[in-house]
Amino acid sequence: MTRKLLVSLLVPLLVLSMVACNTTPPVTPPQPTSAPPTTAPPPPAQDVKILRLADTQDIRNVNPHNGNWISEDNARGYLSARLYRATINPTTKKQLYLPEAAAELPIQMDDEGIVWRIPLDPKMAWENGELFTADTWMYTFERACDPVMVNPMGSWVFSNDIIILNGEEYYLSGEEGTDYTWEDVGIKKIDDYTLEFTLAGRYTQEEVIRHFTGVSPVYEPFYEAGMNASRTSTTYATSIDSFMASGPYSLEFWEVDSERVYTKNYLWPLADLIKIEKISFSIVPDTGAMMQLFESGELDIMDLDAVTFVKYEQDPRLHTYPSAQVGYFNINMANPNNPLLSNVNFRRAISWAIDREAMAKIQLSSPWASIIPGTAGGYGGVSYKDLPEVKAVYPENHGYNPDKAREYYDLALEELGLTTADFEIILNEQAVDRRNMVEYLQNSLTQIFGEDKINITLKGLPAANASTLVLWTEGPTTYESGVSSWSWGSTLYYPNLQFQFFTPSGQLNVTDYNCPELDAMYVLSRTDEYRMDPKKLVELTMEMEALLRDQVLVIPITNFVGRMIISERLLLPIPYDAELGYGTMWADIDLTK
Amino acid sequence: MVRYVLGRLVALGVTLFIIVTVSFVAIRYMPGNLYEDPHISPAAMAAINAKYHLDKPVMEQFYYFLRGIVLEGDWGTSIKIRPAIPAFDILRSRIPVSMSLNLISLIISLPLGVVFGTISAMRHNKMIDNVISFAVVICISVPSFVFASMLQYYLGFKFGWFPIIFKASATGKDYALAIVLPILALAVGPIATITRYLRGELIETLSSEFMLLARTKGLTRTQAIIRHAFRNSMVPLLNILVSLFVGILGGSLVIERIFAIPGVGGIMVDAINAMDHPLTIAVLIFYSFVSLIAVLLVDILLGIVDPRIRMGARQ
């Protein structure tokens, strides 16, 4: 009886398991139907140049309205068209903007630079051969700004390098609507192959181009097919079946959280510039497994963190590059539960007591006492950090001075009538380097101020909880202090944009740092007068930094350094460039290695 | 028997409801906010929170959640891991891989555990018994992810016999090779557990008087073991099947990450870390449901194998 029962249960289970085990077979993407290939057909399989990449986490979608991770923007760069594409100038090896879905560079329609027209390339096609028109882009822009969908990436369309008139006002008008309608937004179709943009201020042609190098189209039939009944969200581009490519590559295979394969799209207007035929992305959550893949020659590029870097420190294949990410120590001065935090002398004491050299060693980054990242632009071809006037005010010893720290600390305790200072630091338990930094901070501050005068409690949290508390999304009492890091690519051109994280008028204000004087300066720095005069902008940015440093609204501690190991078979077209990175999209593969 | 099964089903439903309620409330009260993104303006963030009812009190959110499940079969929508995708659809795409790995591991574990347990019991205190017992202790003591890492490093990376990670695009022989290491890693613990239990039970049964009677009736030792000893040893073995299955499920959370398998385990860890509460709750419900079903199946099997159990339940 028992034997029969077991056999009758186990056999069907085994069969079911084997059947279920086979995951979804690769889906063949739609084949081109109308537009002819612009270059030669693919080479024979044995000569195919395949770039093998991996990441610890898969992208969630390729929807330009929804995917706000850097990896998702990278994926869109490979798979979706842009109006303009940042490429490499073959002579200077610097950035060169080329029209992609646009037919030519933007045309200024008025004297101020407020109205711009972009002619479209009538030969631009989706991977299925269907041609683009102005309606393709109008649908894309309207959905991006849709006040019912409230797409997270909406602002990338109406407010990034340029601000489109009434874009944000319409986006935030809610389901009930306000006085703003889509008709009020400064995006208009002039004819089937011309778009016109009315901006909220004066902008240069380069700014308009740069803005549209970050905006991708959506394929209306799939977008609408994935829309829910209330039209609040769509499943567009969340799987291979719901996405239509139009960029340098097509999506050949995508098993979410496992693998993506791109193949060169010969319909893409700049296909001649692409040398790699296929790109294979593996999702490998375990860094140990990723290292094994790289060592066994199954990966071409691997990002290194503070732990994995040690193994490749002396490896000639190691590449390091400056990052726009600045690490900060945040003291939540608005927390009403601990008056210590709002005392400016206490914050000054902490700032002077942080040994940034030691912190940077733990994180394998650069010690940093400036709000602005080292990659930020200045003027006259000199970066912000290298300008003589900026260097002149940079704090000695990266702002580490224990004696000064003790002076401010005693002053703070006296002002508050305290003998001991108690406060809590939250830490991200999953990031080893951050945890070590916070533990080091606890010890070093205790040593400087004395065990009897300071009591620091550490509170470990998972990554998402720690970061969301620092974002202060649930009110001022959620945390007392913690480390965070922020970066914004456009600081490469406008150093003042780093302040948007720390001012109420900043679009990305992460915490309610309410300093009206700084806020007024930030608003001023965003005006045409400053934005279009780099020297003037630097001067104002320096004033803002001096104020922020004096009030210690946030404490900069490190500037990150990017590290990756790159296999010898990948032939990079340029050394690292702040605008283009390593130009991996334009790289080649040495098939002999 | 029908009344017994119905009783177990009602208990399953009540338990599941309690788990769902506690999970929902506990997860919602975790510190932090569900939707946050430093690259989105606070006004836009508020609008997005309102869209998902995240600006409402927790009990109102729970009402929306239950209403969604009961009226529309809607388990909620992922907010961070796969924005806009229904949590149930995400689970549905992951369950086949996870469940197949878990079931194959269990199915492999059973016969191997029975064989080793039987050999060990029949050769009690002999060399082979000592070797098996030593291996069992090692396999039970060492967590499955350690085995997984060792298998991956030696058999995958060093010797190159198997792929280092699972590749979804693999088919046929490549696919079969890709699932060998994770299945082995998952099966090691259960094989050892079954071996240990069966050995203990069989040793006790073999020395009992009814086995002596069976032998005096003319049965061979093997016949006596298969026909009588096994049947008596089956009840405690069935009892541990639930814990074995749940253990494999738990183990696969880590194993899936090590071998890059796109299963439920990975999504569970990611959802918790990313604070994707709707998806976390859906995965928790799935794990609870599977575990409760396993308990139900074993209860039914026990009722069949040993009628005294269901009679006891009726009394």
Side-chain angles (χ1 to χ4, degrees):
Chain A
M1 169 71 185
T2 309
R3 197 170 38 182
K4 281 181 186 170
L5 192 68
L6 277 174
V7 169
S8 60
L9 277 172
L10 291 180
V11 169
L13 275 177
L14 187 60
V15 173
L16 275 174
S17 306
M18 295 304 284
V19 172
C21 224
N22 260 317
T23 47
T24 321
V27 177
T28 311
Q31 295 303 306
T33 52
S34 55
T38 56
T39 56
Q46 66 271 22
D47 298 329
V48 172
K49 294 175 176 175
I50 304 176
L51 175 64
R52 296 143 328 167
L53 304 173
D55 209 342
T56 52
Q57 198 169 11
D58 199 3
I59 57 171
R60 301 162 303 174
N61 56 59
V62 207
N63 181 353
H65 296 163
N66 216 340
N68 49 0
W69 292 354
I70 292 171
S71 57
E72 288 162 350
D73 188 44
N74 288 341
R76 285 196 299 272
Y78 283 109
L79 299 169
S80 289
R82 309 274 164 100
L83 282 166
Y84 300 98
R85 179 73 60 166
T87 63
I88 301 168
N89 185 320
T91 314
T92 63
K93 300 290 179 191
K94 291 290 174 190
Q95 184 164 264
L96 171 70
Y97 292 117
L98 291 177
E100 183 180 325
E104 55 186 282
L105 298 180
I107 303 163
Q108 189 172 331
M109 302 303 292
D110 59 351
D111 294 337
E112 289 82 24
I114 291 174
V115 182
W116 294 84
R117 279 193 183 175
I118 296 180
L120 302 174
D121 180 358
K123 296 192 296 297
M124 181 69 207
W126 295 96
E127 64 175 325
N128 66 351
E130 203 176 301
L131 296 169
F132 275 51
T133 65
D135 291 329
T136 308
W137 292 101
M138 289 305 287
Y139 179 81
T140 296
F141 295 143
E142 188 175 357
R143 291 288 74 75
C145 303
D146 193 319
V148 178
M149 298 188 80
V150 208
N151 281 305
M153 290 290 281
S155 64
W156 275 50
V157 167
F158 58 73
S159 173
N160 196 7
D161 290 278
I162 58 173
I163 296 174
I164 293 174
L165 187 70
N166 295 332
E168 184 168 22
E169 287 78 356
Y170 173 64
Y171 174 77
L172 294 176
S173 61
E175 284 188 42
E176 288 79 25
T178 59
D179 293 340
Y180 292 98
T181 65
W182 172 240
E183 303 307 316
D184 299 319
V185 179
I187 304 174
K188 295 284 175 279
K189 169 187 165 183
I190 301 301
D191 58 45
D192 278 351
Y193 296 102
T194 312
L195 295 168
E196 184 176 276
F197 299 90
T198 306
L199 309 183
R202 291 161 54 214
Y203 289 92
T204 62
Q205 188 189 52
E206 190 185 335
E207 286 173 312
V208 176
I209 295 172
R210 206 161 53 222
H211 181 82
F212 287 111
T213 57
V215 178
S216 300
V218 297
Y219 186 65
E220 185 175 348
F222 288 177
Y223 200 94
E224 286 296 324
M227 193 76 86
N228 64 1
S230 53
R231 293 190 69 81
T232 53
S233 64
T234 177
T235 55
Y236 175 71
T238 53
S239 66
I240 190 167
D241 300 322
S242 60
F243 174 67
M244 183 69 75
S246 55
Y249 290 86
S250 298
L251 193 53
E252 181 188 304
F253 177 81
W254 185 12
E255 178 71 30
V256 175
D257 283 346
S258 182
E259 202 180 349
R260 303 194 302 277
V261 179
Y262 308 161
T263 46
K264 184 173 172 178
N265 176 11
Y266 285 88
L267 294 179
W268 191 57
L270 306 173
D272 287 340
L273 299 175
I274 299 291
K275 299 178 184 76
I276 295 171
E277 294 290 331
K278 265 184 199 284
I279 300 176
S280 157
F281 268 94
S282 297
I283 307 306
V284 188
D286 185 61
T287 47
M290 204 185 280
M291 282 171 78
Q292 290 172 24
L293 287 172
F294 185 82
E295 289 294 323
S296 60
E298 293 179 48
L299 263 190
D300 291 315
I301 300 179
M302 184 173 75
D303 286 318
L304 301 175
D305 57 22
V307 179
T308 50
F309 167 71
V310 178
K311 183 176 165 56
Y312 297 101
E313 203 170 352
Q314 305 298 328
D315 197 310
R317 296 170 299 176
L318 174 72
H319 290 63
T320 59
Y321 56 94
S323 163
Q325 192 97 352
V326 176
Y328 300 98
F329 183 65
N330 300 59
I331 296 176
N332 183 4
M333 67 197 85
N335 191 329
N337 296 338
N338 193 345
L340 183 72
L341 309 174
S342 60
N343 184 290
V344 70
N345 287 321
F346 169 74
R347 298 198 302 270
R348 284 173 183 153
I350 299 295
S351 181
W352 286 111
I354 294 178
D355 182 354
R356 291 166 178 81
E357 291 269 10
M359 300 285 267
K361 271 183 194 159
I362 295 170
Q363 199 180 38
L364 297 175
S365 53
S366 302
W368 204 244
S370 171
I371 301 297
I372 316 292
T375 52
Y379 60 84
V382 182
S383 67
Y384 180 84
K385 77 172 166 57
D386 291 327
L387 291 167
E389 61 267 41
V390 175
K391 278 181 166 178
V393 295
Y394 187 81
E396 197 182 323
N397 204 15
H398 300 295
Y400 176 54
N401 187 332
D403 293 333
K404 222 168 181 174
R406 276 188 282 267
E407 277 174 37
Y408 280 117
Y409 193 74
D410 290 339
L411 195 59
L413 291 188
E414 195 182 320
E415 284 171 357
L416 293 162
L418 298 171
T419 51
T420 309
D422 290 271
F423 71 101
E424 183 183 86
I425 307 177
I426 56 166
L427 62 96
N428 172 1
E429 283 187 323
Q430 288 157 296
V432 179
D433 53 344
R434 285 200 181 190
R435 194 181 61 207
N436 292 344
M437 284 168 78
V438 170
E439 284 172 356
Y440 172 81
L441 198 59
Q442 182 191 34
N443 290 332
S444 62
L445 293 181
T446 307
Q447 275 178 16
I448 289 173
F449 300 124
E451 278 184 22
D452 55 332
K453 291 172 79 175
I454 193 162
N455 181 29
I456 302 170
T457 312
L458 302 187
K459 183 179 179 183
L461 289 167
N465 300 70
S467 63
T468 190
L469 290 191
V470 174
L471 286 172
W472 204 40
T473 46
E474 287 190 343
T477 58
T478 48
Y479 89 108
E480 294 194 348
S481 67
V483 289
S484 65
S485 61
W486 306 110
S487 71
W488 189 250
S490 296
T491 52
L492 196 57
Y493 309 102
Y494 311 110
N496 61 315
L497 286 184
Q498 192 71 6
F499 286 90
Q500 66 185 319
F501 295 109
F502 312 116
T503 54
S505 290
Q507 193 190 339
L508 311 172
N509 181 31
V510 292
T511 311
D512 199 358
Y513 294 99
N514 201 358
C515 179
E517 200 181 344
L518 179 71
D519 195 40
M521 290 161 87
Y522 178 76
V523 171
L524 188 65
S525 76
R526 294 292 286 148
T527 58
D528 303 344
E529 183 190 347
Y530 284 87
R531 194 170 40 75
M532 299 179 100
D533 185 341
K535 193 166 188 299
K536 217 169 165 180
L537 185 64
V538 163
E539 284 166 8
L540 185 57
T541 303
M542 287 180 66
E543 282 179 46
M544 291 159 71
E545 185 162 32
L547 178 64
L548 192 142
R549 198 177 273 153
D550 178 60
Q551 292 299 307
V552 201
L553 299 180
V554 68
I555 303 171
I557 43 179
T558 53
N559 193 166
F560 287 37
V561 175
R563 289 178 176 84
M564 55 170 66
I565 186 133
I566 300 175
S567 76
E568 287 161 338
R569 67 192 284 276
L570 181 61
L571 307 173
L572 295 169
I574 48 169
Y576 184 81
D577 177 86
E579 290 178 310
L580 290 161
Y582 288 108
T584 313
M585 186 179 285
W586 322 103
D588 203 351
I589 298 284
D590 182 351
L591 288 172
T592 62
K593 287 184 179 170
Chain B
M1 185 66 188
V2 174
R3 192 195 287 178
Y4 172 74
V5 173
L6 281 177
R8 309 309 297 167
L9 277 173
V10 170
L12 184 149
V14 172
T15 312
L16 194 62
F17 178 76
I18 292 169
I19 291 172
V20 169
T21 309
V22 171
S23 306
F24 188 93
V25 174
I27 286 171
R28 279 288 200 273
Y29 276 117
M30 276 167 70
N33 202 347
L34 263 77
Y35 203 94
E36 50 78 17
D37 192 322
H39 297 124
I40 297 173
S41 71
M45 216 138 64
I48 293 167
N49 275 316
K51 176 174 147 182
Y52 291 109
H53 305 298
L54 300 175
D55 54 341
K56 303 279 192 306
V58 169
M59 291 321 289
E60 198 175 332
Q61 290 180 38
F62 187 52
Y63 162 74
Y64 281 116
F65 174 71
L66 284 185
R67 194 183 70 171
I69 291 182
V70 175
L71 298 182
E72 299 155 29
D74 176 11
W75 290 33
T77 302
S78 169
I79 294 177
K80 290 180 178 173
I81 298 291
R82 307 285 314 282
I85 304 286
F88 185 73
D89 289 353
I90 298 172
L91 271 182
R92 204 171 48 186
S93 67
R94 305 304 189 89
I95 288 171
V97 181
S98 283
M99 289 308 287
S100 56
L101 283 179
N102 287 299
L103 287 174
I104 292 174
S105 302
L106 189 65
I107 290 164
I108 287 173
S109 308
L110 273 171
L112 288 178
V114 167
V115 168
F116 291 136
T118 310
I119 293 171
S120 201
M122 288 174 72
R123 299 280 182 268
H124 183 42
N125 282 342
K126 302 274 171 52
M127 181 65 180
I128 183 115
D129 177 36
N130 292 336
V131 170
I132 290 175
S133 296
F134 178 74
V136 161
V137 170
I138 298 287
C139 293
I140 287 177
S141 319
V142 180
S144 59
F145 65 83
V146 175
F147 280 115
S149 298
M150 285 169 61
L151 290 169
Q152 185 181 52
Y153 183 75
Y154 287 105
L155 303 186
F157 176 59
K158 280 281 179 194
F159 303 140
W161 294 346
F162 298 96
I164 294 169
I165 57 163
F166 176 87
K167 286 245 178 188
S169 58
T171 50
K173 185 187 160 200
D174 290 340
Y175 176 81
L177 286 173
I179 60 169
V180 168
L181 295 185
I183 286 173
L184 266 181
L186 283 171
V188 165
I191 291 171
T193 308
I194 294 168
T195 304
R196 190 166 67 97
Y197 269 82
L198 196 64
R199 176 185 175 275
E201 288 298 324
L202 276 178
I203 286 171
E204 197 181 322
T205 311
L206 288 173
S207 59
S208 61
E209 288 180 352
F210 73 85
M211 286 298 289
L212 189 64
L213 178 66
R215 293 294 304 277
T216 52
K217 276 166 63 185
L219 292 180
T220 64
R221 186 173 155 85
T222 310
Q223 284 172 329
I225 288 171
I226 291 171
R227 290 183 194 173
H228 297 282
F230 268 151
R231 192 182 179 93
N232 277 280
S233 308
M234 201 54 75
V235 173
L237 194 63
L238 283 175
N239 267 324
I240 64 159
L241 273 184
V242 176
S243 60
L244 276 179
F245 185 62
V246 173
I248 292 177
L249 273 180
S252 73
L253 294 182
V254 185
I255 302 294
E256 284 177 10
R257 288 189 83 79
I258 292 173
F259 290 104
I261 297 164
V264 184
I267 209 90
M268 172 83 170
V269 177
D270 290 341
I272 291 172
N273 283 337
M275 294 181 66
D276 192 333
H277 292 183
L279 190 55
T280 306
I281 292 164
V283 180
L284 276 175
I285 293 174
F286 163 73
Y287 274 113
S288 307
F289 184 71
V290 169
S291 302
L292 290 171
I293 288 291
V295 172
L296 179 73
L297 280 176
V298 169
D299 280 354
I300 293 169
L301 282 174
L302 282 172
I304 294 168
V305 173
D306 188 351
R308 287 171 300 177
I309 291 171
R310 67 170 191 269
M311 300 300 285
R314 197 180 300 167
Q315 282 166 11

